[in-house]
Amino acid sequence: MNNPVQNITWYEAVLFANLLSDERGLTSCYYKDASFSQAVTIENYNGGDFYWKQDANGYRLLSESEWEYSCRAGASGPFWIQELNYNDHNCDLHCTPGMMPSLESVAWFSGNKMSPEGLDTTKPVGMKLPNPWGLYDVHGNVDELCWDCFDPYPPMNDYENMDGTISSGCDKVGRGGCWGSDPYMCRSAARNGMPPDAREPALGFRLARSLP
């Protein structure tokens, strides 16, 4: 129960955000029509077009640019923490314990994925150090689904331009890497694309709410 949600599709993550918003008396963020009259529900969530009501106060997936901005927390390197042992020659290699100690202090990835019990899987959240903005597990543990289609990515200084008011059946973005990822895929800038109905043991999500 303390591990991140996994084996969830993008469709299910969007539905969960609306269900949680409804449970807590908030306005749903996701709809099936541009007039925002038909909310995403258990009856209609599994396909078709989706619309994000950007002034809603409910729960939602982060946009891809929001995710990277939050992950970096002001840092400009490969990770929010400085890992002196990370370089172009070992970025895509499976690591051994102790090879990248700084990254191991903040993330579950290929270098420390095996638990003392020998479980090669997700780990309980919050066991590693948070980034300077208090966010845990932004690197590793599970790939985190974002709202956006897997399209060309905007530059970092465009993080406030949150495009994606409408999204259809395009591949969706996953960010952060997972418990089995090599360091290269755990970078703040690393990105994956996957179909919205993809279901994987290393795929989860992170929710946000917009400020009023």
Side-chain angles (χ1 to χ4, degrees):
M1 291 298 293
N2 294 324
N3 288 31
V5 169
Q6 56 185 324
N7 279 314
I8 192 168
T9 69
W10 183 90
Y11 293 134
E12 291 167 343
V14 166
L15 173 64
F16 180 82
N18 269 14
L19 293 174
L20 185 61
S21 298
D22 184 62
E23 179 187 71
R24 300 192 178 180
L26 303 171
T27 302
S28 294
C29 289
Y30 298 125
Y31 296 81
K32 300 297 291 182
D33 62 313
S35 61
F36 304 120
S37 62
Q38 185 182 6
V40 172
T41 67
I42 190 69
E43 286 79 23
N44 62 21
Y45 77 97
N46 203 18
D49 290 338
F50 293 80
Y51 296 78
W52 170 17
K53 184 175 173 60
Q54 293 183 314
D55 61 352
N57 65 354
Y59 292 94
R60 60 177 178 81
L61 299 177
L62 282 73
S63 71
E64 183 178 14
S65 47
E66 281 181 315
W67 189 96
E68 184 168 340
Y69 182 74
S70 302
C71 172
R72 288 185 178 278
S76 59
F79 315 101
W80 70 256
I81 195 169
Q82 186 177 24
E83 176 51 77
L84 297 178
N85 292 341
Y86 178 83
N87 57 58
D88 291 342
H89 302 292
N90 62 21
C91 64
D92 58 351
L93 299 175
H94 281 288
C95 298
T96 55
M99 182 176 175
M100 296 191 183
S102 293
L103 186 58
E104 286 186 35
S105 72
V106 304
W108 297 108
F109 66 110
S110 63
N112 61 359
K113 64 180 182 176
M114 296 300 289
S115 71
E117 298 80 17
L119 298 177
D120 188 4
T121 182
T122 60
K123 307 299 187 294
V125 299
M127 295 182 67
K128 298 295 184 178
L129 297 175
N131 75 5
W133 293 354
L135 299 176
Y136 291 87
D137 297 312
V138 288
H139 300 304
N141 216 356
V142 290
D143 257 318
E144 298 178 9
L145 288 163
C146 296
W147 164 256
D148 306 67
C149 292
F150 190 62
D151 291 330
Y153 184 56
M156 266 306 299
N157 61 6
D158 196 30
Y159 70 89
E160 291 181 339
N161 182 18
M162 297 185 297
D163 195 13
T165 303
I166 177 173
S167 177
S168 58
C170 62
D171 283 357
K172 300 302 187 293
V173 172
R175 285 295 203 123
C178 72
W179 46 267
S181 294
D182 299 328
Y184 177 80
M185 290 308 301
C186 294
R187 293 174 302 122
S188 301
R191 55 200 302 261
N192 277 322
M194 60 210 73
D197 59 354
R199 188 186 304 279
E200 299 178 8
L203 190 59
F205 65 98
R206 184 185 298 265
L207 293 181
R209 285 182 61 200
S210 297
L211 292 173

